[in-house]
Amino acid sequence: MADLQALANAVIGGERENALRLTEEAIDEGVKPSVIINDGLIAGMSVVGEKFKNNEFYVPEVLIAARAMQTAMERVKPLLAEGEMTSRGKVVIGTVKGDLHDIGKNLVAMMLEGGGFDVIDLEVDVSPEQFVSTAAESGAHCIALSALLTTTMPSMKDTVDALVEAGLKGQVKVIIGGAPVTQSYADEIGADGYAPDAASAVDKVTQLLA
Ligand code: B1M
């Protein structure tokens, strides 16, 4: 019988091949793809998130776990029947204009995906206009902005302002983060939320979209 706890454990341990094998076994046994994703992959990643928050896991462990999760996810996602699994929301993420740091942003994107959100990753050096037009075109619920340079933080405010100008403020939530970013900066620029790390970002987006 398919062992979804073992699958979750394989994700936690970053065992990519094991995670893929257990996913294929579950598929062969007829377990619903949504159950494999929720009770195996997302369950595993949420433990990873907790361990990261509690400093039991560091960046390399999270990246390796996320890679195992993504490999298994790629196998099972195409099998989802239409409407079988409702996304928890769509998030457009990127590192702001002028900023090329992407390690933290990638972690946040992977944790959000592992948390059951649809993620559109615009990568790095993303202008306010790109964030807003992608959110509008894709019907996203949230824009997630990462900045690592104090000099690029103003682009976060420009993005919030561009959202206001597009008449989407409130309808599309904005969450910000990155090493130099603080809650008081989020309050100052009118962002809806701030998170200090990738696991907290999942909690914050969940809360904002509730
Ligand atoms: Co750069 N760099 N860098 N750099 N770099 C910093 C950020 C710096 C603090 C180093 C230093 O001087 N001590 C400094 C910034 C100073 C400042 O502005 N206050 C700096 C500088 C100055 C620069 C350049 C200007 C250097 C130069 O060329 N003279 C240049 C700028 C390039 C550019 O972006 N235009 C530059 C270049 C680079 C590299 C390309 C060499 C490389 C980036 C590689 C890459 O990302 N692909 C790099 C690196 C690696 C760093 C350090 C060493 C590490 C950053 C990192 O990846 N941390 C960094 C010093 C440091 O932080 N110790 C530094 C690990 C990562 C997991 O953490 O990104 O903080 P972090 O993400 C965390 C949280 O912040 C949070 O969650 C993550 C996981 O918990 N988080 C979010 C991040 N985004 C979030 C979004 C959220 C929520 C949470 O919601 C949406």
Side-chain angles (χ1 to χ4, degrees), residues 82-197:
E82 184 121 358
E84 184 188 334
M85 195 170 157
T86 42
S87 153
R88 296 177 72 194
K90 192 178 282 181
V91 182
V92 175
I93 193 169
T95 304
V96 298
K97 192 168 173 55
D99 202 324
L100 303 177
H101 295 85
D102 69 354
I103 299 169
K105 181 269 298 170
N106 290 345
L107 273 179
V108 176
M110 287 188 272
M111 294 294 293
L112 283 170
E113 203 184 356
F117 292 93
D118 275 341
V119 177
I120 300 174
D121 189 349
L122 298 179
E123 305 293 343
V124 296
D125 192 20
V126 184
S127 69
E129 296 72 29
Q130 275 173 283
F131 277 118
V132 173
S133 63
T134 306
E137 282 157 21
S138 65
H141 307 94
C142 181
I143 294 178
L145 306 171
S146 179
L148 262 286
L149 299 171
T150 46
T151 49
T152 57
M153 285 168 61
S155 189
M156 293 179 147
K157 179 177 184 320
D158 295 344
T159 307
V160 173
D161 292 348
L163 205 57
V164 172
E165 218 164 276
L168 291 171
K169 181 80 171 73
Q171 196 178 316
V172 179
K173 305 289 183 191
V174 178
I175 175 177
I176 64 173
V181 179
T182 59
Q183 178 64 56
S184 69
Y185 184 67
D187 296 340
E188 189 188 316
I189 66 169
D192 300 288
Y194 155 77
D197 57 61

Side-chain angles (χ1 to χ4, degrees), residues 9-56:
N9 290 341
V11 169
I12 297 164
E15 301 155 20
R16 184 158 55 163
E17 280 169 18
N18 213 7
L20 185 58
R21 181 183 58 78
L22 289 161
T23 298
E24 282 176 342
E25 277 176 22
I27 293 169
D28 291 345
E29 286 178 31
V31 180
K32 275 172 97 174
S34 57
V35 173
I36 299 174
I37 293 173
N38 282 323
D39 298 353
L41 305 182
I42 292 181
M45 274 313 278
S46 67
V47 173
V48 173
E50 280 308 306
K51 285 186 178 293
F52 185 56
K53 251 196 289 190
N54 298 332
N55 294 322
E56 290 170 51

